[in-house]
Amino acid sequence: MALALTLQQLAQLAGGSIVRGELSVTVTGLAALDAAGPDDVSFLGNEKYRSQFAVTKAAAVIVPPGEYHEGTAALIVAENPSLAFAAIVRHFAAATRSIAPGIHPRATVDETAELDPATVCVQAGAIVMAGAKIGKNTRIGPNVVVGEDVVIGDDCHLMANVTIRERCVLGHRVILQPGAVIGADGYGYEFSGGRHVKIDQVGIVEIGDDVEIGANTTIDRARFGKTVIGEGTKIDNLVQIGHNTMVGKHCLIISQSGIAGSSKIEDYVTIAAQVGIVGHVSVGSKAILTARTGVTASIPGGETYAGKPAIPMREEMKFQAHLRRLPKLISRVKSLESKMAEAESAD
Amino acid sequence: MALALTLQQLAQLAGGSIVRGELSVTVTGLAALDAAGPDDVSFLGNEKYRSQFAVTKAAAVIVPPGEYHEGTAALIVAENPSLAFAAIVRHFAAATRSIAPGIHPRATVDETAELDPATVCVQAGAIVMAGAKIGKNTRIGPNVVVGEDVVIGDDCHLMANVTIRERCVLGHRVILQPGAVIGADGYGYEFSGGRHVKIDQVGIVEIGDDVEIGANTTIDRARFGKTVIGEGTKIDNLVQIGHNTMVGKHCLIISQSGIAGSSKIEDYVTIAAQVGIVGHVSVGSKAILTARTGVTASIPGGETYAGKPAIPMREEMKFQAHLRRLPKLISRVKSLESKMAEAESAD
Amino acid sequence: MALALTLQQLAQLAGGSIVRGELSVTVTGLAALDAAGPDDVSFLGNEKYRSQFAVTKAAAVIVPPGEYHEGTAALIVAENPSLAFAAIVRHFAAATRSIAPGIHPRATVDETAELDPATVCVQAGAIVMAGAKIGKNTRIGPNVVVGEDVVIGDDCHLMANVTIRERCVLGHRVILQPGAVIGADGYGYEFSGGRHVKIDQVGIVEIGDDVEIGANTTIDRARFGKTVIGEGTKIDNLVQIGHNTMVGKHCLIISQSGIAGSSKIEDYVTIAAQVGIVGHVSVGSKAILTARTGVTASIPGGETYAGKPAIPMREEMKFQAHLRRLPKLISRVKSLESKMAEAESAD
């Protein structure tokens, strides 16, 4: 059953009081004023949205103290509607996460795997293979595959259809969104006799505490040794991390970016969407790579980059300004040529 | 068993008559003349392919009325070979889709889920979680995960290994190709105390009627409220749609494109491959974004765009033409400088 | 249990002799000198890494004949440490691959599927549908879906959560990394009555011998006929191959590249990361496309390309050099204009 809250429950969560509306009003969703429907609660966080408030279709709205004659939504007054709404958001979030520990009868847990079914939840269709070790309070989602000898820390959440291949290691509080693949073979071949011959990839992926990895993102195992994702780093959907790459702590890597093998990303680096980084280079700490930057050589940290090859953003902006002057420059040269021809003919 | 058709069955489907070949000829596949093998039927839709017809390896070919002495394929004459072939294609398509309704004994359907096993098909390994509602004639493919309280309309087809997370809503006749992930958490963090702290993502994804979503494409749930994919929109493989993004009706979004959070794509927009659109912008109705366009600010509809930042395509083409003149421009400036130097020294 | 090797076993594999360390030393991993931890074996392959050797945390190191007083790692002397280490890598690789044939009780194999359980391994949660044929020694990983009438050759390995849709054909020794999707519908619609109407995609994907396909990569089935991946071609993660595309033999296609429909890639082509190739073009044999090249028209083989549209790399490099001269060019034109103005005013 979807979560449903009555007006009274909303008021309690919001720490506010009902000033308009029937107690029988219930909501099942949360939405901004302009997007809300008749099953949603919303909030007026800023007077500039007053016109949206006047026509909102929300069932209930959290408002700051004041006079409200517009619309028909039930109203709850709270000192700080944004904070009050955040409390309701947290309530919804908590509700959707509650799940009982235990091994679902349709899960397949190898007898040599180590986990405590009193705190660990293994959902239907999940496969936990031989020798895997799973920490307490960790949740293995439906149809997840945990490979042989994988080690997973406490309080992790592996969502549906995730794959972790053999021997990879996850820290505590790691979140893997659906479809993420950890520990696929690195892309390595030797060309011999007219054919590409596979180079064994026997290393692992090691993921630090508090890392989150997006849906359908792929992180390759090392040739030998480790591909590392440092503590606190957050990776978005459809990102590719190559073999033996070292990503530092507390980095952000946005959707559809790719980092080739054996590169080193230091701590607190931000990599915006669709960035590409070649193999065997380093990106210094606190570097910011704007969307689609192409990194083809090592770059120092503490700087914002753009372009391909990556250069400091302000240089790239100057360069783009120069580019925009190109059509005019062509005219200017043409005009100079005319004058020169004129001058020459005048001689 | 793969579908096999005799020459006679082909002639019936084509509404044509056999003019050459043994009745014992059977085909199991369809192919263009130059790609066909000895188990395929093909067609001569245009006289310009006559030379391909002469050497085709197809077992049978649908031809228009005329004289045919080339090759050895069995021949079926039909007034309009393209239409006749399309009828055979439809026959193959229908054949591969027939599947009986019912819940496979290896599927796991929560007892609180609502679906009619007389019309719904839940294939082996599929997981349908608590509170999910599935409309009639819908097919849940093998190893699909349908999260808690998900609502799915009639006549949908969720293919193998698809994930739909909790509370997302699908309309009627929605097709999800394998590996698609609907409702992963949006990418949202607050930086606090040197760490990125996760912002709860409690909204949903709402998908309209007649939407198709490609293999391994990811669509994130809203922070709160909804990420929306409008009716009739068709999304290709490996596309990323960020949280709270609103995609209009009847859009086309081609492979490997990404749309960041909270952007608004109006109706009938075409987004070609590898396009990137930043967050919090709008793209007007019927805009066409050519491949790899980078949209960094809101753009009006009814226009074809290219480049990064996106500009109207004809301006981008002019600009590219200017760029191509750059080497020559450098020579022209050099020549002017020589003349100027000469003129000066002559003074 | 993770693979553990004693010092003595290491020495045997390395064909070397122990010159320092306790026989009780065991290792469970392999790593470069600078990345190794106390459970790893490493090697000193080149004297230039001697300083890394001095401080390595490895439990054991393979060294060439010589004098070693640095560090505390157990030491094994071998004539060629690189070769000796490769033998240990192979041992680890072999160890992780050993798996017994047979159909796991939690796998679902249709009674009409053809496979020999004495040599084929079907792991837990895998679904093998009606009419599928699987060659000898092939391994179907956990939660893999093999569609109806799929044909798979000998000695293949389909890793976890792979999907192969109906009727697709795989050769021998094919490796599919986790999450790969073979045979999703091609992206084809007709615009009619204000809506995009799906064009049936009834063809297949045909994959040659010795092909490897990366994690979460998607290869679409043909409209009719075949999408073909030629023998020996190796495809990285998150790559998109459109319908009816023909990829030749022994090609390399790196991560996040996309090839649109009906294009033809000849043999021995290398496609670096994030490349895009439009539909209906050909790329000649042995062409090399550097990262992010955008191919918008057919290009001949035997050449290295860059840029968008793709041009030979040396021309692109010349062009980039010209671009870098643009700011200076603007100054030069400005200077010419001043001189010209001076000259004119002097007249």
Side-chain angles (χ1 to χ4, degrees):
Chain A
M1 201 194 64
L3 183 70
L5 289 174
T6 65
L7 194 57
Q8 207 142 18
Q9 288 172 312
L10 286 174
Q12 259 167 1
L13 285 166
S17 49
I18 301 166
V19 295
R20 190 170 87 188
E22 305 294 321
L23 291 185
S24 61
V25 166
T26 59
V27 304
T28 55
L30 309 100
L33 286 167
D34 59 342
D39 298 324
D40 293 324
V41 57
S42 191
F43 72 108
L44 176 59
N46 190 313
E47 195 59 21
K48 76 174 173 182
Y49 295 116
R50 188 74 185 233
S51 61
Q52 288 184 10
F53 166 73
V55 296
T56 186
K57 291 172 188 153
V61 181
I62 322 282
V63 293
E67 291 290 316
Y68 302 94
H69 303 291
E70 311 99 310
T72 56
L75 299 180
I76 293 167
V77 168
E79 274 309 311
N80 185 330
S82 295
L83 277 184
F85 195 73
I88 296 170
V89 168
R90 263 198 308 281
H91 184 79
F92 267 77
T96 60
R97 279 186 205 148
S98 71
I99 190 140
I103 298 173
H104 192 283
R106 286 287 177 89
T108 303
V109 177
D110 189 274
E111 57 185 6
T112 65
E114 295 176 31
L115 58 86
D116 177 5
T119 73
V120 168
C121 169
V122 184
Q123 296 190 261
I127 318 284
V128 179
M129 297 180 73
K133 288 179 193 168
I134 299 177
K136 63 179 198 297
N137 301 319
T138 281
R139 175 174 167 191
I140 308 295
N143 285 347
V144 166
V145 176
V146 176
E148 291 152 328
D149 304 308
V150 163
V151 177
I152 301 177
D154 302 339
D155 303 300
C156 294
H157 186 182
L158 281 56
M159 299 195 189
N161 282 316
V162 156
T163 299
I164 306 185
R165 278 187 51 197
E166 64 273 16
R167 293 184 289 112
C168 292
V169 176
L170 277 65
H172 302 304
R173 299 172 300 281
V174 171
I175 298 173
L176 303 188
Q177 297 291 331
V181 174
I182 309 301
D185 283 346
Y187 189 80
Y189 305 92
E190 273 180 299
F191 194 65
S192 164
R195 309 181 74 84
H196 302 288
V197 180
K198 186 171 176 69
I199 297 172
D200 290 323
Q201 306 287 316
V202 303
I204 64 163
V205 176
E206 185 180 270
I207 294 178
D209 294 344
D210 299 302
V211 167
E212 180 162 0
I213 291 172
N216 287 344
T217 278
T218 59
I219 302 181
D220 283 352
R221 66 197 310 112
R223 183 184 164 191
F224 53 83
K226 300 167 185 176
T227 303
V228 176
I229 309 297
E231 175 193 336
T233 284
K234 312 294 188 184
I235 302 181
D236 200 355
N237 300 346
L238 294 173
V239 168
Q240 152 73 357
I241 309 281
H243 53 169
N244 292 85
T245 287
M246 313 290 275
V247 176
K249 295 178 182 177
H250 309 296
C251 294
L252 297 175
I253 307 180
I254 319 293
S255 183
Q256 296 178 324
S257 288
I259 306 177
S262 298
S263 280
K264 184 172 170 51
I265 312 299
E266 294 183 359
D267 300 342
Y268 292 105
V269 169
T270 298
I271 298 176
Q274 297 183 338
V275 163
I277 300 176
V278 300
H280 300 274
V281 300
S282 68
V283 175
S285 176
K286 299 193 181 171
I288 297 173
L289 309 182
T290 57
R292 267 202 205 155
T293 297
V295 177
T296 56
S298 292
I299 51 177
E303 177 72 77
T304 300
Y305 295 91
K308 170 170 180 280
I311 56 174
M313 172 105 161
R314 54 179 188 283
E315 289 176 33
E316 172 72 10
M317 285 176 77
K318 255 190 239 167
F319 179 68
Q320 292 293 332
H322 282 133
L323 272 184
R324 277 194 298 275
R325 289 162 69 185
L326 183 57
K328 213 168 171 185
L329 188 69
I330 293 174
S331 308
R332 284 161 66 188
V333 169
K334 202 169 179 185
S335 153
L336 277 168
E337 286 168 337
S338 305
K339 288 180 184 172
M340 185 66 82
E342 218 175 285
E344 285 177 335
S345 69
D347 283 347
Chain B
M1 201 193 67
L3 183 70
L5 289 174
T6 64
L7 194 57
Q8 206 142 19
Q9 288 172 310
L10 285 173
Q12 259 167 2
L13 285 166
S17 49
I18 302 165
V19 295
R20 189 169 87 189
E22 304 295 321
L23 291 185
S24 62
V25 166
T26 59
V27 304
T28 56
L30 309 100
L33 286 167
D34 60 341
D39 297 323
D40 293 324
V41 57
S42 190
F43 71 107
L44 176 60
N46 189 314
E47 195 59 22
K48 76 175 173 181
Y49 295 117
R50 187 76 184 231
S51 60
Q52 289 184 10
F53 166 74
V55 296
T56 185
K57 290 173 189 154
V61 181
I62 321 284
V63 292
E67 291 289 316
Y68 300 94
H69 304 292
E70 310 99 309
T72 57
L75 299 181
I76 293 167
V77 168
E79 274 309 313
N80 185 329
S82 294
L83 277 184
F85 194 72
I88 297 169
V89 169
R90 264 197 308 280
H91 184 79
F92 267 76
T96 60
R97 279 185 204 150
S98 70
I99 191 141
I103 298 173
H104 192 284
R106 286 287 178 89
T108 304
V109 178
D110 190 274
E111 57 184 8
T112 64
E114 295 176 31
L115 58 85
D116 177 5
T119 73
V120 168
C121 169
V122 184
Q123 296 190 263
I127 318 284
V128 179
M129 298 180 72
K133 288 179 194 167
I134 299 176
K136 62 181 199 297
N137 301 319
T138 280
R139 176 174 166 190
I140 308 295
N143 285 347
V144 166
V145 176
V146 176
E148 291 152 330
D149 304 308
V150 163
V151 177
I152 302 177
D154 302 339
D155 302 300
C156 294
H157 187 181
L158 280 59
M159 299 195 190
N161 281 318
V162 156
T163 299
I164 307 185
R165 278 188 50 196
E166 64 274 15
R167 294 183 288 112
C168 292
V169 176
L170 276 66
H172 302 304
R173 298 173 300 281
V174 172
I175 298 173
L176 302 187
Q177 296 291 330
V181 174
I182 309 301
D185 282 347
Y187 188 81
Y189 304 92
E190 274 180 298
F191 193 66
S192 164
R195 308 180 74 84
H196 301 287
V197 180
K198 186 172 176 70
I199 297 172
D200 291 323
Q201 306 287 315
V202 303
I204 64 163
V205 176
E206 184 181 272
I207 294 178
D209 295 344
D210 298 302
V211 167
E212 180 161 0
I213 292 173
N216 286 344
T217 279
T218 59
I219 303 181
D220 283 353
R221 65 197 310 112
R223 182 184 166 193
F224 53 83
K226 300 167 184 175
T227 302
V228 176
I229 309 297
E231 175 194 337
T233 284
K234 312 295 188 183
I235 301 180
D236 200 355
N237 300 345
L238 295 172
V239 168
Q240 153 72 357
I241 310 282
H243 53 169
N244 292 84
T245 286
M246 313 289 276
V247 175
K249 296 178 182 176
H250 308 296
C251 294
L252 297 175
I253 306 180
I254 319 293
S255 183
Q256 297 179 323
S257 288
I259 306 177
S262 299
S263 280
K264 184 171 169 52
I265 312 300
E266 295 184 358
D267 300 342
Y268 291 105
V269 170
T270 297
I271 297 175
Q274 298 183 338
V275 162
I277 300 176
V278 300
H280 301 274
V281 300
S282 68
V283 175
S285 175
K286 298 192 183 172
I288 296 172
L289 308 182
T290 57
R292 268 201 206 158
T293 298
V295 177
T296 56
S298 292
I299 52 178
E303 176 73 77
T304 299
Y305 294 92
K308 171 170 180 281
I311 55 174
M313 173 105 161
R314 51 177 192 284
E315 289 177 33
E316 173 72 9
M317 286 175 77
K318 257 190 239 169
F319 179 68
Q320 292 293 333
H322 282 133
L323 273 184
R324 277 194 297 275
R325 289 160 69 184
L326 183 59
K328 212 167 173 186
L329 188 70
I330 293 174
S331 308
R332 284 162 65 188
V333 169
K334 203 169 177 183
S335 154
L336 277 169
E337 285 168 338
S338 304
K339 287 179 184 173
M340 184 65 82
E342 218 174 286
E344 285 177 336
S345 68
D347 284 347
Chain C
M1 201 194 65
L3 184 70
L5 290 175
T6 64
L7 195 57
Q8 207 143 18
Q9 288 172 310
L10 285 173
Q12 260 167 1
L13 284 166
S17 48
I18 303 166
V19 296
R20 188 169 88 187
E22 305 294 321
L23 290 185
S24 62
V25 166
T26 60
V27 304
T28 55
L30 309 100
L33 286 166
D34 60 342
D39 297 325
D40 293 324
V41 58
S42 190
F43 72 107
L44 176 60
N46 189 313
E47 195 60 21
K48 77 175 172 181
Y49 295 117
R50 188 75 184 233
S51 62
Q52 289 183 9
F53 167 74
V55 297
T56 185
K57 291 173 187 151
V61 181
I62 321 283
V63 293
E67 292 289 314
Y68 301 94
H69 304 291
E70 311 99 309
T72 58
L75 299 181
I76 294 166
V77 169
E79 274 309 313
N80 183 331
S82 295
L83 277 184
F85 194 72
I88 297 170
V89 169
R90 264 197 308 280
H91 184 79
F92 267 77
T96 60
R97 279 186 204 149
S98 70
I99 190 141
I103 298 173
H104 192 283
R106 285 288 178 88
T108 304
V109 177
D110 189 274
E111 56 184 8
T112 64
E114 295 176 31
L115 58 85
D116 177 5
T119 72
V120 168
C121 169
V122 185
Q123 296 189 262
I127 317 283
V128 178
M129 297 180 72
K133 287 179 193 167
I134 299 177
K136 62 181 199 297
N137 300 320
T138 281
R139 176 174 167 190
I140 309 294
N143 285 348
V144 166
V145 176
V146 175
E148 292 152 329
D149 304 307
V150 163
V151 177
I152 301 178
D154 302 340
D155 302 300
C156 294
H157 187 182
L158 281 57
M159 300 195 188
N161 281 318
V162 156
T163 299
I164 306 185
R165 277 188 52 196
E166 63 274 16
R167 293 183 290 112
C168 292
V169 176
L170 276 66
H172 302 304
R173 298 173 299 282
V174 172
I175 298 173
L176 303 186
Q177 296 291 331
V181 174
I182 310 302
D185 283 345
Y187 189 80
Y189 304 92
E190 273 181 297
F191 193 66
S192 163
R195 307 180 75 84
H196 302 288
V197 180
K198 187 172 176 69
I199 298 172
D200 291 322
Q201 306 286 316
V202 303
I204 65 163
V205 175
E206 185 181 272
I207 294 179
D209 294 344
D210 299 302
V211 167
E212 180 161 1
I213 291 173
N216 286 345
T217 279
T218 58
I219 303 181
D220 283 353
R221 66 196 309 111
R223 182 184 165 192
F224 52 83
K226 300 167 183 175
T227 301
V228 176
I229 309 296
E231 175 193 336
T233 285
K234 311 296 187 183
I235 301 180
D236 200 355
N237 300 345
L238 294 173
V239 168
Q240 153 72 359
I241 310 281
H243 53 169
N244 291 85
T245 286
M246 313 289 274
V247 176
K249 296 178 180 176
H250 309 296
C251 294
L252 298 174
I253 306 180
I254 319 293
S255 183
Q256 297 178 323
S257 288
I259 306 177
S262 300
S263 280
K264 183 170 171 53
I265 312 299
E266 294 183 0
D267 299 342
Y268 291 106
V269 169
T270 298
I271 298 175
Q274 298 183 339
V275 163
I277 300 176
V278 300
H280 299 275
V281 300
S282 69
V283 175
S285 176
K286 298 192 182 172
I288 297 172
L289 308 182
T290 58
R292 267 202 206 157
T293 297
V295 176
T296 55
S298 293
I299 51 178
E303 177 72 77
T304 300
Y305 295 91
K308 170 170 181 280
I311 55 174
M313 172 105 160
R314 53 177 189 285
E315 289 177 32
E316 173 71 10
M317 286 176 77
K318 256 190 239 169
F319 179 69
Q320 292 292 333
H322 283 133
L323 273 183
R324 279 194 295 275
R325 290 160 69 185
L326 183 57
K328 213 169 172 183
L329 188 70
I330 293 174
S331 308
R332 284 161 65 188
V333 169
K334 203 170 176 182
S335 153
L336 277 169
E337 285 167 338
S338 305
K339 288 180 184 171
M340 185 65 82
E342 218 173 286
E344 285 177 336
S345 68
D347 284 347

